[in-house]
Amino acid sequence: MLGKRLQELRQRKHMSQQECADYFKISKASWNFYENDKRAPSYEMLTKIASFFNVSTDYLINGEKTSPTGPIDLKKTDVLSYDGKPVSDEDLAIIRAILERNK
């Protein structure tokens, strides 16, 4: 069932398997194995995936409807997306700088 949830979350962001694989720095085959429940992601990868899709790890593993997890603290995350595309580290730094300047 984890695979089904990963596929649904990916499709909601209008991302391909290759785009997800690239974002998480894994092979497309690895992402495909996750979606087809042939391999389970490590705990570290699972937390990165949950953060990226703004869901809890409980939701990914058990389907618990605690998703989304709530507001994202930009000081504590390196994983954001806009219009279904990952925000680059450079853009995230710019966003943080603007927010700091406008405190």
Side-chain angles (χ1 to χ4, degrees):
M1 293 303 295
L2 168 65
K4 180 90 172 145
R5 283 185 282 282
L6 290 176
Q7 181 181 32
E8 289 171 358
L9 290 166
R10 175 181 59 78
Q11 289 173 342
R12 278 190 219 156
K13 285 192 172 275
H14 306 287
M15 293 179 74
S16 68
Q17 286 187 343
Q18 186 65 59
E19 289 172 314
C20 282
D22 291 346
Y23 182 82
F24 292 108
K25 297 180 176 77
I26 59 173
S27 68
K28 181 182 175 190
S30 291
W31 186 267
N32 184 278
F33 286 159
Y34 295 164
E35 283 194 12
N36 289 295
D37 291 316
K38 292 182 179 178
R39 186 180 301 157
S42 67
Y43 179 75
E44 180 183 352
M45 180 60 70
L46 196 65
T47 57
K48 288 178 182 179
I49 292 169
S51 179
F52 177 74
F53 289 112
N54 195 29
V55 297
S56 69
T57 53
D58 284 340
Y59 173 75
L60 290 176
I61 296 168
N62 303 314
E64 310 248 338
K65 297 296 182 188
T66 58
S67 167
T69 57
I72 298 171
D73 187 339
L74 292 178
K75 282 189 171 187
K76 297 179 182 176
T77 188
D78 292 324
V79 184
L80 286 180
S81 64
Y82 178 76
D83 197 26
K85 303 289 182 194
V87 173
S88 71
D89 292 341
E90 182 179 288
D91 289 341
L92 184 56
I94 292 168
I95 293 166
R96 286 178 175 151
I98 290 168
L99 292 172
E100 286 294 322
R101 198 173 48 222
N102 292 319
K103 277 187 174 180

